[in-house]
Amino acid sequence: MSNALVAVMPGPGVDGRPRPCELRELPLPDLEPDSALLKVELSEVCGTDVHLRDGRLSGVPYPIIPGHVSVGTLERIRGTVHDVRGRPFAEGDRVTFLDVHRTCHACWYCLVARASTRCPHRKVYGITYGIADGLTGGWAEYIYLKPGVHCIRLHGVASELYMAGGCSLPTALHAVERGEVALADTVLVLGSGPVGLSTIGFSILRGAGRVLCIGAPDERLEHARCMGAEDVLNFTRHTPSDRIVWVLQHTEGRGTDVTIECTGAPAAVTEAMQYTRDAGRVVVVGQYTDHGDTSFNPHWDLNRKHLDVRGCWGSDYSHFHRAIEMLRTPRAAALWSGLKLERYTLSQVNEALAQVASGRTVKALVVPTT
Ligand SMILES: [Zn+2]
Ligand SMILES: [Zn+2]
């Protein structure tokens, strides 16, 4: 065995027509000191992969192997790879890894602003690494874990349970932290895709008194209920003013304490501000790519409300680490274990992308076979 089968995204779509992904064989790497080869068990297809297919992200070195969050087994290690407690990993260990590589912990953003997710040196597996960098995405039989990649033990957490959340886990954990969800808060989650569903779960676990969700379609909203949402509303069947009335009816006329936007639709940001109570908090985590402008009234929607609106970009090691620690608890495992998984092989990734783009899947996984 000297090659790995991979699904390659050759380039962004042209004139709205996506270029299909193709199967290729790429050579296995010569391992550098303190690096490893991961045999992929599961990867995933998320909204970011649809943006990549459609050429909506900047700085992407096509052709790439998508799949930024994955689980697998350490097949070969050269030198030593440690966990954060200083314990070495062994060949055969089942792990995931922080998809962000080369955060420098030396620049102004890392050291002064303490905003390492804005470090200009960071590279992300499956997004800003391409095949020129080697086996750097999860839609593949193997991933090359370069020196400095942070591996994380799954302990007893089943691979499927972890990947039921997948990349939405660190994103959602970061978002509820940014929202400072407090005991007994009423939290409104906009969007019922994977990030929205995980945000519901983490809001509950953080002590929210009630969680509401506005999203679509109905099947995803059923999952929102299973994740702990007390009530849900399908936005496709209600006008914006109906939705505000619905939120006010659930909050004694005040609006929600915290609203977390996980939709990708610019107008949802303004709506999030309007659904939130005076002096409440809004977190914007769904605007990962440029879908255009939106407008709001600075007096009514922001200043007079004494509102706190926060962006939330990327994730760091702590979000991955604590997401797994949470999944080790039975109450968290019970939430994510109910999500419906759909599996696709490497030859089916185009179909998987189409399904994810349509919003019909709850969670799409990639199994690295043909
Ligand atoms: Zn930095
Ligand atoms: Zn993702």
Side-chain angles (χ1 to χ4, degrees), residues 239-317:
T239 63
S241 51
D242 287 348
R243 293 176 224 152
I244 290 181
V245 169
W246 182 83
V247 172
L248 294 178
Q249 280 171 347
H250 283 76
T251 53
E252 299 175 346
R254 282 195 302 271
T256 48
D257 299 301
V258 182
T259 304
I260 303 180
E261 181 280 325
C262 315
T263 69
V269 175
T270 306
E271 289 179 30
M273 294 160 77
Q274 293 165 349
Y275 297 142
T276 308
R277 68 163 166 85
D278 288 6
R281 298 174 296 287
V282 172
V283 176
V284 176
V285 70
Q287 308 291 317
Y288 191 64
T289 184
D290 180 0
H291 276 288
D293 295 343
T294 188
S295 62
F296 65 94
N297 183 300
H299 173 70
W300 291 106
D301 298 332
L302 180 63
N303 198 346
R304 192 174 192 277
K305 293 184 78 161
H306 194 62
L307 203 60
D308 196 347
V309 182
R310 299 175 177 182
C312 182
W313 186 256
S315 354
D316 64 26
Y317 178 85

Side-chain angles (χ1 to χ4, degrees), residues 44 46-49 68 167:
E44 66 185 346
C46 73
T48 297
D49 301 312
H68 59 117
C167 67

Side-chain angles (χ1 to χ4, degrees), residues 58-62 64 68 97-105 110 116-130 132-133 136-137 144 146-150 288 313-316 320:
S58 58
V60 179
Y62 299 100
I64 63 167
H68 59 117
F97 66 96
L98 173 63
D99 56 348
V100 181
H101 187 222
R102 283 178 34 189
T103 303
C104 76
H105 302 294
C110 286
S116 68
T117 68
R118 295 301 302 138
C119 173
H121 304 289
R122 66 208 288 276
K123 292 283 180 187
V124 186
Y125 274 72
I127 301 176
T128 51
Y129 269 145
D133 304 294
T136 50
Y144 178 39
K146 296 167 180 277
V149 166
H150 295 288
Y288 191 64
W313 186 256
S315 354
D316 64 26
F320 276 74

Side-chain angles (χ1 to χ4, degrees), residues 293-356:
D293 295 343
T294 188
S295 62
F296 65 94
N297 183 300
H299 173 70
W300 291 106
D301 298 332
L302 180 63
N303 198 346
R304 192 174 192 277
K305 293 184 78 161
H306 194 62
L307 203 60
D308 196 347
V309 182
R310 299 175 177 182
C312 182
W313 186 256
S315 354
D316 64 26
Y317 178 85
S318 76
H319 303 118
F320 276 74
H321 187 104
R322 285 178 295 140
I324 291 171
E325 291 297 315
M326 287 309 296
L327 284 179
R328 294 175 76 183
T329 67
R331 61 201 174 112
L335 294 176
W336 275 269
S337 62
L339 293 182
K340 180 178 156 198
L341 308 177
E342 290 175 23
R343 289 170 185 73
Y344 297 88
T345 65
L346 292 178
S347 7
Q348 294 172 323
V349 291
N350 293 309
E351 189 188 323
L353 284 163
Q355 285 293 109
V356 171

